[in-house]
Amino acid sequence: MLELLEFSRGPLSVADIKSAASRAKLRPNKSTVYRELYFLVEQGIVVEVDFLDGMKRYEFVAHDGHHHHMICTSCQHVECVDVCFDVTRVLKEIAKHSRFKVQHHVLEFFGTCAQCCN
């Protein structure tokens, strides 16, 4: 499962993981998949991603650092995007002005991909 997440092109749902396992002639039950994902998230190896559509997805923690996603609202295509501004500076400003310590953040971009625009 870890290998599947590490080499996937984007975050995977439990259904995606089970489907890929089936193609590899494996048949893990749903609770096993959830248990393994929970363990990997707890270990900081995998992160849970929520695109606000009621389905959680999971992604290998990239070696190249924190990133966000662009999600096409038409075809659901997902692309990773590197942070293009200094998030650390923004978090320090938030803490300074509001005395609120941010523990984590979510920033996803929703729109229409180039293929759906045509």
Side-chain angles (χ1 to χ4, degrees):
M1 185 182 331
L2 185 57
E3 211 173 275
L4 174 66
L5 289 165
E6 184 176 1
F7 296 107
S8 73
R9 293 179 157 253
L12 300 175
S13 67
V14 169
D16 295 331
I17 293 167
K18 284 186 54 83
S19 177
S22 291
R23 287 191 303 274
K25 309 265 193 264
L26 302 171
R27 295 187 181 188
N29 65 40
K30 199 179 215 179
S31 61
T32 301
V33 173
Y34 276 109
R35 201 171 28 255
E36 289 297 319
L37 287 170
Y38 179 78
F39 173 77
L40 293 171
V41 168
E42 286 291 309
Q43 297 300 309
I45 298 168
V46 169
V47 292
E48 190 177 272
V49 181
D50 187 355
F51 294 152
L52 305 175
D53 62 355
M55 182 186 312
K56 293 180 182 178
R57 292 169 180 84
Y58 300 87
E59 184 174 56
F60 183 75
V61 174
H63 296 292
D64 57 352
H66 185 74
H67 68 272
H68 300 281
H69 303 94
M70 296 182 294
I71 302 101
C72 179
T73 55
S74 181
C75 71
Q76 277 58 63
H77 174 73
V78 177
E79 284 189 41
C80 297
V81 61
D82 293 327
V83 176
C84 55
F85 59 90
D86 187 358
V87 174
T88 305
R89 192 187 91 239
V90 172
L91 295 177
K92 284 181 184 177
E93 285 294 315
I94 289 170
K96 178 180 170 184
H97 293 291
S98 66
R99 296 186 315 184
F100 185 88
K101 184 178 179 183
V102 176
Q103 295 171 337
H104 72 279
H105 71 277
V106 177
L107 177 63
E108 310 298 354
F109 301 94
F110 296 88
T112 310
C113 70
Q115 194 166 20
C116 289
C117 286
N118 295 329

